[in-house]
Amino acid sequence: NVGKSYGTTTVLDAVSLGVAAGERIGVVGRNGDGKSTLLRLLVGAEPPDTGRVTHTGGVRIATVAQRGRIGRP
């Protein structure tokens, strides 16, 4: 039940996510849907406004840095 808002904009509301050992996940959505916020919460770079993020055992989290959009010059 994690929630995160920026000012009056709620980005994540009552989100629950479980990832089992050995699983890999990808996060897909439109711009502004909270993908990067979700990942920042998972790695502990930001605290949630509501709820809590827990890691069990020897969990390891790896992310790939986001880069600028590829497009025509």
Side-chain angles (χ1 to χ4, degrees), residues 35-69:
K35 302 176 300 291
S36 296
T37 298
L38 175 63
L39 293 175
R40 283 193 303 272
L41 294 173
L42 287 174
V43 300
E46 249 182 81
D49 293 334
T50 60
R52 63 188 171 128
V53 176
T54 58
H55 300 118
T56 59
V59 70
R60 293 183 320 165
I61 299 175
T63 61
V64 178
Q66 179 174 314
R67 294 188 180 204
R69 183 183 281 184

Side-chain angles (χ1 to χ4, degrees), residues 1-58:
N1 286 329
V2 167
K4 185 71 176 180
S5 297
Y6 296 102
T8 59
T9 303
T10 299
V11 181
L12 301 172
D13 183 26
V15 173
S16 292
L17 171 68
V19 181
E23 288 185 329
R24 295 177 182 191
I25 64 168
V27 182
V28 179
R30 298 175 303 194
N31 290 344
D33 278 350
K35 302 176 300 291
S36 296
T37 298
L38 175 63
L39 293 175
R40 283 193 303 272
L41 294 173
L42 287 174
V43 300
E46 249 182 81
D49 293 334
T50 60
R52 63 188 171 128
V53 176
T54 58
H55 300 118
T56 59

